[in-house]
Amino acid sequence: TKDAPNVDISGENILKVTVLRPLPGLWRVSTTGSQDNIDIEMRAVVAKGNLNSPSGSQVQFVPASIEWQLLDSRGQPLPEYTDARYRLEPSVQIKTDGEVTPVTLQYKGNSTYEAIFTPVKAALHTITMEAVARDLNNTPITVYSGEVATFAVGQVNLQPVNLAPSYSQSVTITLTYELRDPAGQPVGVKSSVIVTATVQSVTGGALWPVPMLVIADGRFQGEYVPLEAGPQNIKVAASITEPNGNVRPLAEGVGGSFTVTPLMVTPKSPAGTQAQHIPMTIAYQVLDGQGNELKLGPGYQMVFTGTISIGSQQAPMLTFEPTDATTYATTYAPDQQGNYNLIALASVQ
């Protein structure tokens, strides 16, 4: 009947009847007049799929929301199919570099479905969707099938946080790194990420590993005590452990550079002429490479030694002890007259 809701009838000799938002079930079409003059042809109108998200480029290892809505020919959401026999069976797959990843959809109502997908590759991703219903005979009917969108995923990288241009020798350095997207914004990664760092002098030499620990989502920190002065480079790398146990490289590259300044050792005493056979105090001030009080890294200690000699005669080795936070001193009684040569050696072990 022409007055039925959601039914549109147009034409004269050939009538076109369009049923809008049809509910599932058995539909009967009846007409008046001679059956010999009437030919009924039924055509199904395939639903349209509309991707609400994601829009634009996404970031590697950051969860992205995939929201998909099924619409009728007028762009209206499909009706609610409360009968389980006719309920749609949607599915989503993500294709990347030949790999196909199925994604679990959750129904949000209003003919809208959502899935959370975390891209692990920096590449183009293609979303393929399919929606299947069933007729009265339980035969599958494809309501929608095809590719709906392609989006790009940018690579994350490790960036240093507050890395100073110089640090003091023998003092603990805190190295902090953060995962960031191509635009330089911090990235939170709800996954098992392992970050490694190594430090090496630009002239070569030992390669010092720096254990890195997670201090926040997407941020990592480690401590390093430089024992060698001069310019040094940092290399960093990150890997991620996937749910299946596979380890996949995440980011790798130069983590920055800095210069290590040597300790500052300055004589404090003796000054001027000393008396023979009278004990004198020999003292040195030791500061870090930045001119501040020396605060050695955990597990390290200062060993301060020296020699004193007159002419070709050399006295026993001198051992210095700390007298305050910045001073190391010893005593020595000169037994001869003349000019003495004093050599001091401060080392951290």
Side-chain angles (χ1 to χ4, degrees):
T1 172
K2 190 173 183 179
D3 298 328
N6 292 325
V7 175
D8 179 39
I9 299 178
S10 60
E12 296 181 359
N13 296 327
I14 299 177
L15 294 181
K16 177 183 177 183
V17 180
T18 303
V19 181
L20 306 172
R21 297 172 60 84
L23 293 175
L26 181 62
W27 286 68
R28 177 175 289 107
V29 179
S30 59
T31 63
T32 59
S34 172
Q35 296 292 328
D36 296 336
N37 298 327
I38 297 176
D39 183 19
I40 299 178
E41 179 183 354
M42 299 189 67
R43 297 179 181 178
V45 179
V46 179
K48 298 179 180 180
N50 182 61
L51 187 70
N52 297 330
S53 67
S55 59
S57 299
Q58 303 300 304
V59 179
Q60 189 180 17
F61 297 104
V62 176
S65 171
I66 300 176
E67 187 177 285
W68 185 45
Q69 188 176 33
L70 280 170
L71 307 173
D72 64 14
S73 58
R74 298 181 302 164
Q76 298 298 315
L78 297 183
E80 297 288 341
Y81 292 166
T82 56
D83 193 328
R85 293 176 299 173
Y86 308 113
R87 193 167 298 160
L88 289 175
E89 301 170 8
S91 62
V92 172
Q93 291 182 334
I94 309 295
K95 297 180 179 179
T96 312
D97 290 342
E99 296 182 5
V100 178
T101 304
V103 178
T104 302
L105 290 171
Q106 300 292 332
Y107 185 59
K108 297 180 59 178
N110 199 31
S111 195
T112 302
Y113 301 84
E114 184 184 36
I116 301 299
F117 172 70
T118 302
V120 297
K121 282 189 173 183
L124 288 177
H125 289 59
T126 300
I127 304 175
T128 302
M129 295 187 173
E130 184 177 69
V132 177
R134 296 182 181 274
D135 63 14
L136 293 177
N137 299 320
N138 202 34
T139 302
I141 301 174
T142 300
V143 177
Y144 183 90
S145 179
E147 296 181 356
V148 294
T150 298
F151 62 92
V153 174
Q155 186 174 13
V156 297
N157 56 78
L158 283 166
Q159 292 291 328
V161 178
N162 299 326
L163 182 65
S166 65
Y167 295 94
S168 171
Q169 183 181 16
S170 305
V171 177
T172 301
I173 300 173
T174 299
L175 300 177
T176 304
Y177 285 85
E178 191 173 60
L179 285 171
R180 296 180 182 174
D181 63 18
Q185 297 301 312
V187 173
V189 180
K190 303 294 184 180
S191 304
S192 178
V193 175
I194 299 175
V195 172
T196 59
T198 55
V199 181
Q200 186 178 34
S201 170
V202 295
T203 59
L207 193 66
W208 294 91
V210 181
M212 303 295 288
L213 301 177
V214 179
I215 61 171
D217 187 22
R219 181 173 281 209
F220 308 85
Q221 195 171 84
E223 292 184 343
Y224 165 65
V225 179
L227 300 181
E228 182 180 352
Q232 303 196 16
N233 291 330
I234 311 171
K235 290 185 178 180
V236 290
S239 59
I240 186 168
T241 302
E242 298 177 334
N244 58 10
N246 292 335
V247 178
R248 185 189 297 269
L250 173 59
E252 184 176 4
V254 177
S257 62
F258 57 89
T259 299
V260 176
T261 53
L263 300 180
M264 302 172 64
V265 180
T266 307
K268 294 181 65 175
S269 66
T273 302
Q274 305 298 307
Q276 186 180 8
H277 300 301
I278 303 297
M280 62 178 176
T281 298
I282 304 174
Y284 285 85
Q285 183 184 55
V286 181
L287 301 176
D288 68 16
Q290 308 293 315
N292 303 313
E293 177 185 338
L294 177 62
K295 296 180 180 179
L296 296 176
Y300 290 90
Q301 63 177 353
M302 171 68 71
V303 177
F304 205 115
T305 60
T307 60
I308 190 169
S309 62
I310 181 171
S312 60
Q313 184 180 359
Q314 183 170 312
M317 181 76 69
L318 302 177
T319 301
F320 293 77
E321 299 293 339
T323 59
D324 57 39
T326 63
T327 304
Y328 289 78
T330 190
T331 59
Y332 176 75
D335 57 1
Q336 298 184 46
Q337 296 182 4
N339 293 323
Y340 282 79
N341 294 320
L342 180 63
I343 299 176
L345 175 64
S347 63
V348 176
Q349 300 177 357

